[in-house]
C-alpha cells in the first residue's frame, strides 16, 4: 500500500487532462485502503476494480 500511495502522490500532480477521473481515483484509493485496513477485503477489491476499469493508462 505504501508503494501505491507513493506512486499516486508522484503521478497525481501530472494529470491535467481529466481532473474528474483523478478525483475519482483519489476517492477510490482512500476507500480501498480503509477497507483493507478494516479487514473488508471484498470492498477493497471492488474499489481497486473501479480504478482498473477506468483504463487509467489514458490519463496521461
Amino acid at each position: 500500500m505504501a508503494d501505491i500511495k507513493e506512486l499516486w502522490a508522484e503521478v497525481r500532480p501530472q494529470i491535467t487532462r481529466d481532473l474528474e477521473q483523478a478525483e475519482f481515483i483519489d476517492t477510490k484509493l482512500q476507500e480501498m485502503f480503509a477497507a483493507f485496513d478494516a479487514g473488508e477485503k471484498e470492498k477493497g477489491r471492488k474499489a481497486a476494480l473501479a480504478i482498473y476499469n477506468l483504463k487509467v493508462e489514458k490519463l496521461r
Side-chain angles (χ1 to χ4, degrees):
M1 283 197 286
D3 290 342
I4 293 171
K5 289 178 183 180
E6 184 179 324
L7 181 61
W8 182 240
E10 202 174 301
V11 172
R12 174 66 167 95
Q14 298 174 24
I15 297 175
T16 57
R17 198 182 300 176
D18 196 338
L19 296 178
E20 190 173 301
Q21 278 193 331
E23 289 177 20
F24 177 80
I25 294 170
D26 282 333
T27 301
K28 289 301 175 182
L29 283 173
Q30 290 173 12
E31 286 179 20
M32 182 181 77
F33 294 136
F36 284 129
D37 285 343
E40 298 173 349
K41 292 179 183 178
E42 187 60 31
K43 187 175 179 180
R45 284 188 206 118
K46 285 182 181 181
L49 272 174
I51 294 169
Y52 176 79
N53 288 331
L54 280 179
K55 303 198 186 310
V56 293
E57 67 275 1
K58 293 183 179 181
L59 287 174
R60 295 181 185 184

